[in-house]
Amino acid sequence: MIRVPTALLTEIRAHGERSFPNECCGIVFGTIDEAGADGLTSVKTATALRPIENQFEDGEKYHRFLITEEQMLSAELYARKNGVDIVGIYHSHPDCASVPSEYDRSHAVPLYSFLITSILSGKAADVRNWTLVWDEAKNDNVFTAETLEEI
C-alpha cells in the first residue's frame, strides 16, 4: 500500500498532461512505515517526487519510458542525504489504461510501488498503483494491484 498526498498526485497528473503524447516518468520518495509479516509487503508514504525527462529514444516515447542508471543513482544519493527512501516509480500511459504493460513488467523492480496515470486525449484520468510480486505458478514476477490511498 502507498499513501500519497493529493498535491503529489496532482503533480503526477500534471506531468503526464505536459508530456502528452509521450510518456512521463519520475521517482517517488518517502518512507516505509511498516513491513508486512511476509517481509515483502509494506505501507509506504510518499513525501516528494522527482520528475524525470523520459530518456527513451525519440519516436518511442509515446509508449516507453526510460530512467537512466545515472538518474537512479542521483535519486539514491538524494534519498540517502535526505533520510528518505525511493518508494516507487511513476509514469503515464498516453491514450491507454493505467495498467502495466509487458514492457513495464519486464523492466520493473520488486518492492517499489508503480503508479501509472492514464492520460486520455491530453487530460489525466485515473492513477492506479501496482507492485511486482513473485508468482509461484508462473515461476515469474507479475504485477498485482496495490492500494493507493490519497491523503
Side-chain angles (χ1 to χ4, degrees), residues 69 77 84 107 148:
E69 293 173 6
L77 292 171
V84 294
H107 290 81
L148 167 62

Side-chain angles (χ1 to χ4, degrees), residues 19-85:
S19 299
F20 186 85
N22 293 322
E23 289 195 7
C24 75
C25 56
I27 298 169
V28 182
F29 298 99
T31 59
I32 300 172
D33 302 316
E34 56 192 67
D38 62 5
L40 298 175
T41 58
S42 60
V43 177
K44 296 161 257 179
T45 301
T47 58
L49 302 174
R50 177 176 287 183
I52 300 288
E53 180 70 29
N54 184 347
Q55 298 297 306
F56 216 92
E57 64 190 66
D58 290 338
E60 295 295 319
K61 291 180 182 182
Y62 73 94
H63 70 139
R64 300 277 186 266
F65 77 93
L66 174 65
I67 298 173
T68 66
E69 293 173 6
E70 293 82 8
Q71 290 166 321
M72 282 304 294
L73 177 59
S74 174
E76 289 170 5
L77 292 171
Y78 169 88
R80 182 177 297 169
K81 179 180 177 184
N82 290 281
V84 294
D85 295 299

Side-chain angles (χ1 to χ4, degrees), residues 2 5 7 9 20-21 24 28-29 46 51 53 59 62 72 81 94 100-102 106 108 111 118 126 130 144:
I2 189 167
L9 288 173
F20 186 85
C24 75
V28 182
F29 298 99
E53 180 70 29
Y62 73 94
M72 282 304 294
K81 179 180 177 184
S101 67
E102 174 56 25
S106 66
L111 306 179
S118 178
D126 64 338
W130 305 87
T144 186

Side-chain angles (χ1 to χ4, degrees), residues 87-118:
V87 297
I89 302 292
Y90 74 86
H91 75 283
S92 63
H93 279 184
D95 288 328
C96 192
S98 53
V99 176
S101 67
E102 174 56 25
Y103 179 86
D104 293 337
R105 187 200 63 79
S106 66
H107 290 81
V109 177
L111 306 179
Y112 283 168
S113 290
F114 289 88
L115 290 89
I116 303 175
T117 184
S118 178

